Structure formats: C-alpha cells, structure tokens
Amino acid sequence: MRGVQKLRNILWLGLKELRSLAADVFLLGFVIYSFSFTVYSQATGVSHELRSASIAIVDEDRSALSGRFAQAFLPPFFQRPQIIPLAEVDRRMDTGRNTFVLDIPPDFEADLVAGRQPVIQLNIDATAMMQAGIGASYIQEIVAREIATFLGREAEPAVELQIRVAFNPNLTTSWFTGVMAILNNITLLAVLLSGAAVVREREHGTLDHLLVLPVTPFEIAMAKVWANGLVITVATGLSLWFVVHRLLGVPIAGSIPLFLCGVTLYLFFATAVGLLLGTLARSMPQLGLLFILVVLPMNLLSGGSTPFESMPRPLQLVMSLVPSSHFVNFAQAILYRGAGLDIVWPQFVAVTAVGAIMLAIALLRFRAALAAQSQ
C-alpha cells in the first residue's frame, strides 16, 4: 500500500513539474527552440562540402582549351565562372568577391601542345577555409581532366579503386550534423531542466512548501526526473521525425522506438547530473557556470564532434566511464547503421549501470540538501 502511495505522490509531483514548466515561458521556449530551429540551423548553416563557390577566370590565352575550363565548373559545386581581366584580380580578391581566381597565361594551349610545361596560377581566398581546402583539390582535378581530354591522353589506370561510402553515400553534412545536434541538445536540456527545477523551487520558495507535505525527498526527486525526462523524450521524437527526417530529408535507418528507449535510459543519468548541479547551485547564474564546466566538455568528448579513436588513450579510458560516449555510440549505430538491440545492448547496459550510480549519488545529495533546507 505504501508503494502505491509513493507512485501516486511521484505522479502528482511530476504533473506539478510539468505545469510549472508550462508556466515558465522562457524555459519552454528554449526547449522548443533547441529541438527545432537550432537543429535545422546547425544542419544547414555549416557545410563541409563544396557548395556554390565563387570562381573567376582570367583568360589570357583565348584558346579552345581555355574555353573548356570556363565550361567545366558547374553548379552545385561552383557558381558560373566570371571572365575577368588580369587587372581585376587583386581588387576582387581583396573585396572577397571571389574565393578562387584561375589565371590562364598567354599561349597556354600552344605551349602544352608543343610539350612545354606551362603554369596555371590559382589564387585562393583562404579566409573561406573550408571551401578553400576542398575547392583547390576540386579545381586541380577538373583542370587535369580537361587537359587530358583535350590532348587525348586519357589512359586506364593500372589499378581501379572502387570507393563505396556506407550510410551516407553523398557525404552530406546535414545528415550528420542534424542528428548530432539532437544528441547534444538531449544532454544539454536534460541537465538544464532538472537543475533549473531544483533552483527554481528554491528561488520561488516552493521547496519549503514541499517539505511540509507528506512526501519524501526520493519522491520529489523522482518526480522531477520523470517529468523533465518525458519532456525531453517527446521533444526528441518530434524533432527527429519532423525536423531531421521530414524537413532535412535525412533517412532513419534503424528503429526510432529503440532509439527512444535508449534516450530514456540515458536521461536517468543526464537528469541525475542536473539534480546534483541544482543542489550545488544557489541561483540560476551559478547553475549556468556549473553547466558550462560539466556539460560542454561532456558533449565535446563524447565522440560526436571528433572520432573517439582519435583521442589520447587516457582520455578514451576516462570517457568510457561517462554514459554520454555510450549514448552517442548507440545512437549513431541505430539511426545511421540500422543496428538492433542485439548490437547495442552493451551500450544500453553501460548507460543504465552508470546512470543508476549517478542517480543514487544525486538522490543522496538531494536528501542532504533538503535536510539542510528544513533546519
């Protein structure tokens, strides 16, 4: 009977948390913003492919071959090349009007046919660092291909290298950044909402009201865990389907329910971290500082931003004890590679085990904080 009453208390306290969150326009708006516009802007705002690079050509040769170059740079990788005089090169580079300027010297075609080795100058604006590095190799390949075709010297390579790109055939950046934005925001929002719930209770004085009710610290804490976890899980599912899958067109290879089950397990850890930080912070600014010290390194070192294998070995050992790395691992396996429970269960177990330990520590700290508050 006491167990049923505990569950009832946790349910009603959780509903109170949901009403409190609904009344907090800033936090509710932040949740909606984080799982909608933020995900879309991160997926589309930064591209790791060459897209619409501006290129100009100085054609001092005026030959058939130089004319082929002007026709070889095509969308969507390049904008249509602009033919400019040599005197315009420095001004256009200085003003940032062109990322690339290809200078074809006089008698280029004649020198090439005669067996001499003429030089083409490629000017690059390296302030556009991403496009500069990728675009230079694209331009070099295009020029070499056009020269070989013009001279009729295309030869079969001794070895044919067949490249097969799995899970993201076109190497589309948004397929990666969109999903990773959701994964990072799950950690960010779970810690922030649960921590803010504790700080908000203290600042508004409602924590004193809870202490006089016939509820235990465990019931209060678990209510905050399930209520905030439910909000994050629902927001994750909606963002994954409508923003990532429908709006960005990212295919979901695996089971969304299985992924959301993993998210639920991970949220026990993330919300426990938020509860712990909420008991340490005395105000929202303090919570923000603690958040920066804990959550940002956890996200950066989880393996989502940089490959886990490229980190120093000691750091890998440390991060293997943090559930965020296992969370990113099984999330990518399910969403990108279509992995099932038979593959990701070790990560599920690791997240559950460490999450349970962190939740126990957070509950002990929360109970101690409530005891100090009541005195």
Side-chain angles (χ1 to χ4, degrees), residues 158-223:
V159 177
E160 181 181 1
L161 179 65
Q162 291 187 347
I163 300 175
R164 297 180 180 179
V165 180
F167 314 120
N168 189 354
N170 295 322
L171 299 177
T172 306
T173 302
S174 61
W175 287 24
F176 174 78
T177 53
V179 172
M180 287 313 305
I182 291 182
L183 301 186
N184 289 335
N185 287 341
I186 288 172
T187 303
L188 187 151
L189 267 298
V191 175
L192 185 62
L193 287 184
S194 55
V198 177
V199 175
R200 188 172 58 239
E201 297 272 19
R202 185 183 295 113
E203 290 182 340
H204 294 174
T206 54
L207 196 58
D208 295 328
H209 298 165
L210 291 175
L211 293 175
V212 299
L213 295 176
V215 293
T216 65
F218 173 80
E219 294 167 357
I220 297 173
M222 291 307 297

Side-chain angles (χ1 to χ4, degrees), residues 179-302:
V179 172
M180 287 313 305
I182 291 182
L183 301 186
N184 289 335
N185 287 341
I186 288 172
T187 303
L188 187 151
L189 267 298
V191 175
L192 185 62
L193 287 184
S194 55
V198 177
V199 175
R200 188 172 58 239
E201 297 272 19
R202 185 183 295 113
E203 290 182 340
H204 294 174
T206 54
L207 196 58
D208 295 328
H209 298 165
L210 291 175
L211 293 175
V212 299
L213 295 176
V215 293
T216 65
F218 173 80
E219 294 167 357
I220 297 173
M222 291 307 297
K224 297 183 183 301
V225 169
W226 85 256
N228 291 290
L230 177 64
V231 171
I232 301 301
T233 303
V234 171
T236 299
L238 293 176
S239 179
L240 186 64
W241 181 255
F242 289 104
V243 179
V244 172
H245 183 60
R246 305 292 295 181
L247 189 59
L248 295 174
V250 180
I252 306 299
S255 168
I256 293 180
L258 178 62
F259 168 68
L260 293 179
C261 287
V263 170
T264 303
L265 294 176
Y266 175 71
L267 285 174
F268 280 101
F269 165 78
T271 52
V273 172
L275 283 178
L276 186 61
L277 297 182
T279 60
L280 297 174
R282 295 299 174 184
S283 63
M284 288 299 290
Q286 288 186 10
L287 178 64
L289 291 175
L290 292 173
F291 175 86
I292 293 173
L293 291 174
V294 174
V295 176
L296 294 187
M298 193 163 62
N299 272 349
L300 288 173
L301 300 176
S302 64

Side-chain angles (χ1 to χ4, degrees), residues 52 56 65-66 110 118 159 200 205 248 256 304-305 316 318 321 353:
S52 298
L65 179 55
S66 64
V159 177
R200 188 172 58 239
L248 295 174
I256 293 180
S305 301
Q316 291 185 37
V318 172
L321 302 176

Side-chain angles (χ1 to χ4, degrees), residues 304-337:
S305 301
T306 57
F308 198 72
E309 296 78 10
S310 65
M311 300 179 189
R313 183 60 181 169
L315 190 57
Q316 291 185 37
L317 295 176
V318 172
M319 290 307 298
S320 65
L321 302 176
V322 181
S324 60
S325 59
H326 298 286
F327 172 55
V328 170
N329 192 329
F330 76 67
Q332 291 182 343
I334 294 172
L335 298 178
Y336 292 146
R337 299 187 285 274

